């Protein structure tokens, strides 16, 4: 078999294995309150003339929402290695609904284009477009009322937090970097905070206690090449923030929360992010939380466990403090 064919087959098998691993997570049939606003009239539509049209859904509302009351808005990007899951995946439905109720806040769970049909930077472009659409919908002048009446009536554009897990955490980080470079008209270049849950960062060289075994690294190195089509190297700032400290210090937010777990695949990267962000010159508040004895994004399949409840409480408290 030619080398190229072998490589394509190997990558296909790798993607299938990752998808199987992620999709084997247990699913609850009972959906949590508050329910998402799922009717077409409550979806946020954003159009880039001649380029793309996207919808942001679902939108999660806290229970007992009072008329006229404005709340913080969490723009949430789901994980899945930039290849699997959607905003409607049951695991993410449960998490977003729980977060909306706990803060309370409006949570917009964002759908974005996935690899391999849409290689990076498509997901990054969608994340930034989603942020712009949410801000527009929340504006008090009613500009977004037609697109999303719930955000227009209750969303506070001055209290926006970007959040995500795994690849979604990577997207939240990169959206905040881009915001500083491309301020939103009438909004500015800074969100209230970002929440990075077990973030997917990587690099060419092993870091800290990461395994140096070539076989182990061969699981993750080709994955990044696959999802970006070889366009960005392993030390590109998209995947390795520490490779560009001059860019990192321009992070467009006032506060950052990084969570991880002792047995997370990317735990060393999360620890390094927390340790190095201040050294790069970023002037903001950093909070770091690590759960002992748990694995990568354990809080999704074990959402009712003691450790998952504790992690949600950390996130909830952080969002509240960002938006005080």
């Amino acid at each position: 078999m030619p080398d190229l064919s072998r490589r394509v087959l190997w990558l296909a098998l790798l993607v299938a294995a990752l998808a199987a691993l992620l999709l084997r997570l247990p699913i609850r049939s009972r959906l949590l309150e508050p329910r998402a606003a799922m009717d077409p009239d409550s979806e946020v539509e954003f159009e880039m003339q001649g380029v793309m049209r996207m919808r942001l859904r679902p939108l999660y509302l806290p229970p007992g929402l009072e008329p006229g009351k404005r709340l913080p808005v969490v723009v949430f990007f789901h994980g899945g290695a930039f290849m699997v899951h959607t905003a409607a995946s049951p695991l993410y439905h449960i998490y977003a609904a729980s977060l909306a109720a706990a803060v309370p806040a409006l949570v917009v769970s964002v759908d974005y284009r996935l690899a391999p049909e849409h290689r990076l930077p498509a997901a990054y472009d969608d994340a930034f477009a989603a942020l712009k659409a949410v801000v527009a919908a929340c504006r008090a002048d009613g500009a977004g009322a037609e697109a999303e009446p719930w955000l227009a009536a209750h969303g506070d554009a001055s209290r926006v937090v970007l959040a995500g897990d795994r690849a979604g955490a990577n997207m939240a980080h990169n959206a905040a970097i881009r915001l500083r470079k491309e301020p939103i008209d009438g909004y500015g270049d800074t969100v209230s905070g970002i929440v990075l849950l077990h973030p997917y960062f990587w690099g060419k060289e092993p870091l800290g206690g990461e395994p140096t075994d070539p076989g182990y690294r061969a699981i993750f190195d080709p994955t990044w090449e696959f999802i970006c089509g070889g366009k960005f190297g392993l030390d590109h700032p998209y995947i390795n923030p520490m490779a560009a400290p001059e860019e990192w210090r321009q992070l467009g937010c006032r506060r950052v929360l990084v969570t991880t777990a002792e047995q997370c695949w990317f735990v060393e990267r999360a620890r390094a992010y927390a340790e190095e962000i201040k050294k790069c010159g970023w002037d903001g508040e950093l909070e770091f939380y690590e759960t002992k004895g748990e694995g990568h994004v354990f809080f999704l399949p074990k959402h009712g466990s003691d450790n998952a409840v504790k992690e949600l409480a950390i996130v909830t408290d952080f969002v509240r403090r960002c938006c005080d």
Side-chain angles (χ1 to χ4, degrees):
M1 184 182 294
D3 289 343
L4 179 60
S5 298
R6 289 180 183 276
R7 188 179 182 196
V8 170
L9 176 60
W10 187 91
L11 286 172
L13 292 172
L14 172 64
V15 172
L18 286 170
L21 175 64
L22 292 166
L23 295 173
R24 267 191 0 237
L25 298 174
I27 294 174
R28 292 282 187 93
S29 60
R30 180 177 178 274
L31 301 182
L32 298 183
E33 295 290 348
R35 292 192 300 272
M38 292 296 288
D39 61 284
D41 291 337
S42 69
E43 294 175 354
V44 179
E45 187 174 275
F46 179 82
E47 184 171 5
M48 212 179 266
Q49 191 66 37
V51 180
M52 61 174 288
R53 174 175 288 180
M54 64 182 297
R55 287 187 181 273
L56 314 181
R57 59 184 177 90
L59 169 63
Y60 293 85
L61 313 174
L65 188 57
E66 301 173 10
K69 184 176 179 62
R70 290 199 172 269
L71 295 174
V73 180
V74 178
V75 182
F76 186 87
F77 307 113
H78 68 81
F82 295 100
M83 293 183 285
V84 296
H85 283 301
T86 71
S89 296
L91 289 172
Y92 289 107
H93 174 89
I94 291 170
Y95 187 83
S98 299
L99 182 60
V103 175
L106 306 184
V107 176
V108 179
S109 190
V110 179
D111 270 326
Y112 54 88
R113 289 171 292 173
L114 301 174
E117 292 84 0
H118 304 283
R119 312 276 185 164
L120 294 178
Y124 295 133
D125 291 340
D126 290 354
F128 197 66
L131 173 60
K132 292 168 68 175
V134 166
V135 168
C138 291
R139 284 179 174 160
D141 60 9
E146 183 177 346
E148 177 42 68
W150 289 104
L151 282 174
H154 299 287
D156 186 346
S158 69
R159 296 186 290 167
V160 174
V161 174
L162 301 177
D165 73 297
R166 303 180 280 183
N170 177 301
M171 291 170 65
H173 163 87
N174 281 295
I177 293 285
R178 184 168 175 177
L179 180 60
R180 185 59 64 88
K181 298 176 181 178
E182 302 176 28
I184 298 173
D185 290 344
Y187 178 76
D189 63 359
T190 306
V191 291
S192 298
I194 61 173
V195 177
L196 311 182
L197 305 172
H198 300 212
Y200 171 37
F201 294 124
W202 199 241
K204 188 174 182 179
E205 299 299 327
L207 186 66
E210 280 180 354
T212 58
D213 175 62
Y216 179 87
R217 299 193 66 81
I219 297 173
F220 296 103
D221 291 3
T223 301
W224 175 251
E225 182 180 0
F226 178 76
I227 58 184
C228 70
K231 190 173 183 178
F232 310 110
L234 286 169
D235 282 331
H236 190 281
Y238 280 155
I239 189 66
N240 185 4
M242 286 171 286
E246 69 286 350
E247 183 171 286
W248 198 7
R249 72 172 62 100
Q250 298 301 313
L251 192 65
C253 65
R254 296 186 290 271
R255 294 181 175 90
V256 176
L257 169 64
V258 179
T259 77
T260 188
E262 185 179 21
Q263 298 169 15
C264 176
W265 301 329
F266 310 113
V267 62
E268 295 290 351
R269 299 284 162 173
R271 290 169 179 164
Y273 188 107
E275 292 171 0
E276 297 295 327
I277 188 170
K278 286 292 187 180
K279 296 179 183 178
C280 80
W282 175 71
D283 183 21
E285 176 187 323
L286 185 282
E287 183 175 344
F288 178 75
Y289 180 76
E290 181 176 331
T291 303
K292 302 300 182 184
E294 295 284 7
H296 187 54
V297 293
F298 72 91
F299 55 86
L300 292 176
K302 300 180 180 179
H303 65 86
S305 68
D306 289 345
N307 282 338
V309 170
K310 289 177 183 176
E311 176 145 331
L312 180 62
I314 293 292
V315 175
T316 297
D317 180 67
F318 176 81
V319 173
R320 288 173 180 166
R321 287 188 290 106
C322 283
C323 300
D324 283 346

